[in-house]
Amino acid sequence: MDYVFCVRSIKNGAFGDEPGATHFLKVPSGKSPDPAHKIAKSTWFKEVQQIARHGPQDNGPVGDVLIYVHGFNTPQDVMMERHRNLRAGLEALGYEGAVISFDWPCASTALNYLEDRTDAKMTAIRLVDEGIAAFAAIQRPDCRINVHLMAHSMGSYVVREAFDDADDRPGVAAHSWSASQVILCGADISAGSLEDGNAKSSSLYRHCVRLTNYFNPFDDVLSLSNVKRVGVAPRAGRVGAPANVPRKAVNVNVGNWYDARKANFGGVKSAPHTFYFYDPDFLRDVLFTLRGDVDRNLIPGRAMGSEGNLVLLP
């Protein structure tokens, strides 16, 4: 089974492309999300907690929950394919926690880019309310749950806006909530928004232990010349974050890594932008990041690049 919390509307018995209520889904293997997969919220959280729990550790069992946040123009079947690749790849490497997905409404065409950004912002707060803060509220003395986020493309915008909106609401800001590792892949947010002191990302940094930005200079989807994206500022997923980022931010250039392996992704649509879900070796670096027990500069397969960024060695 796969666990998803979905904020899409329901029309004619199926999920649509507009914002709706939150649905907690238990999706059978090989299936796409369907309203019939809805289960009680309390049951959903109990089952995810059980999957997340592992140990024993020195101070008792711990739990890990990785929330995958998809990007724009991602149909539900594609979202589930990437979710399952992510889960299977990490589990094959020894990950013992849960992988769940936050499914926000987006259209099935790139022409809806601006509309998708609007829907992303409208539904972003649900990621904190129904996900991160909800897991924080059910922490138990006998099991600490670490919540991590892995956002792709416009999913990075969803995450950034979710954290910012949560801090603007006293009812949420007054409660303790945080994410451990925040991982951005092919981030469709401006590079400048990640700099130290930028108001757009101050809440994101405040509520995470570490933020890792994986970027690929060969990412043509994030190119300024891509007219479907209406030519906005340089994106963090293509050019990386600026040099003046907070200490907890980590910038990892995967350009040479991708270029050396691009022949492996011949059947993958928009491979320079989406290969992250189809490369088991890349997920090894993600797993080191999630575990957080090796210094960022000492993770095997990384080296310091000429521009001050870490690079993933081919």
Side-chain angles (χ1 to χ4, degrees):
M1 293 291 185
D2 294 292
Y3 293 82
V4 176
F5 61 114
C6 174
V7 293
R8 295 174 181 260
S9 62
I10 297 176
K11 185 176 181 180
N12 297 325
F15 287 118
D17 295 332
E18 299 298 328
T22 305
H23 311 277
F24 293 89
L25 310 177
K26 184 177 180 179
V27 184
S29 177
K31 300 292 186 179
S32 291
D34 185 277
H37 300 150
K38 182 178 179 179
I39 63 175
K41 178 178 179 178
S42 58
T43 302
W44 190 91
F45 272 97
K46 182 179 180 180
E47 292 185 10
V48 171
Q49 270 187 303
Q50 189 61 38
I51 296 170
R53 181 177 177 137
H54 59 89
Q57 306 291 327
D58 292 340
N59 297 317
V62 298
D64 286 286
V65 174
L66 174 61
I67 304 175
Y68 159 50
V69 185
H70 66 77
F72 88 104
N73 189 23
T74 304
Q76 286 186 306
D77 59 338
V78 175
M79 182 269 293
M80 290 306 303
E81 174 186 293
R82 295 173 183 172
H83 164 102
R84 288 166 177 146
N85 284 353
L86 179 61
R87 179 167 66 87
L90 289 173
E91 288 176 351
L93 294 168
Y95 176 71
E96 298 179 277
V99 176
I100 64 177
S101 284
F102 175 67
D103 182 26
W104 57 277
C106 66
S108 57
T109 169
L111 297 178
N112 282 64
Y113 181 81
L114 293 178
E115 181 180 342
D116 280 358
R117 281 181 69 87
T118 300
D119 289 344
K121 186 173 179 63
M122 286 177 59
T123 57
I125 190 60
R126 232 81 77 70
L127 176 60
V128 172
D129 284 349
E130 306 284 10
I132 304 169
F135 279 111
I138 58 175
Q139 296 283 0
R140 293 164 46 183
D142 64 336
C143 184
R144 298 173 290 109
I145 292 184
N146 300 309
V147 178
H148 315 285
L149 294 165
M150 183 169 175
H152 178 245
S153 193
M154 197 187 289
S156 303
Y157 174 77
V158 173
V159 170
R160 192 191 70 190
E161 293 300 302
F163 280 56
D164 186 52
D165 289 348
D167 260 3
D168 287 341
R169 297 191 303 150
V172 180
H175 293 85
S176 176
W177 63 274
S178 66
S180 180
Q181 304 291 334
V182 173
I183 298 171
L184 309 181
C185 299
D188 191 3
I189 55 176
S190 68
S193 72
L194 292 177
E195 67 183 357
D196 195 10
N198 190 296
K200 291 183 178 179
S201 58
S202 59
S203 296
L204 179 57
Y205 286 125
R206 183 160 48 250
H207 289 287
C208 77
V209 174
R210 178 169 292 170
L211 182 146
T212 301
N213 178 57
Y214 292 104
F215 70 99
N216 182 8
F218 298 102
D219 192 332
D220 52 348
V221 170
L222 297 181
S223 168
L224 288 180
S225 63
N226 188 334
V227 295
K228 293 178 181 178
R229 296 189 52 263
V230 298
V232 288
R235 312 319 270 170
R238 178 178 168 94
V239 303
N244 57 329
V245 293
R247 179 75 179 91
K248 65 174 59 179
V250 185
N251 219 17
V252 183
N253 186 331
V254 298
N256 289 337
W257 173 277
Y258 167 77
D259 195 46
R261 291 167 169 76
K262 59 186 178 183
N264 298 335
F265 311 118
V268 176
K269 184 178 180 180
S270 303
H273 186 59
T274 63
F275 83 94
Y276 304 97
F277 302 96
Y278 303 95
D279 187 350
D281 292 329
F282 168 75
L283 293 180
R284 188 179 304 277
D285 196 88
V286 171
L287 183 58
F288 273 110
T289 298
L290 293 176
R291 287 175 172 167
D293 53 1
V294 177
D295 183 82
R296 68 184 80 182
N297 297 305
L298 299 179
I299 290 179
R302 290 184 180 182
M304 186 59 66
S306 59
E307 298 181 359
N309 298 313
L310 289 167
V311 297
L312 209 55
L313 299 174

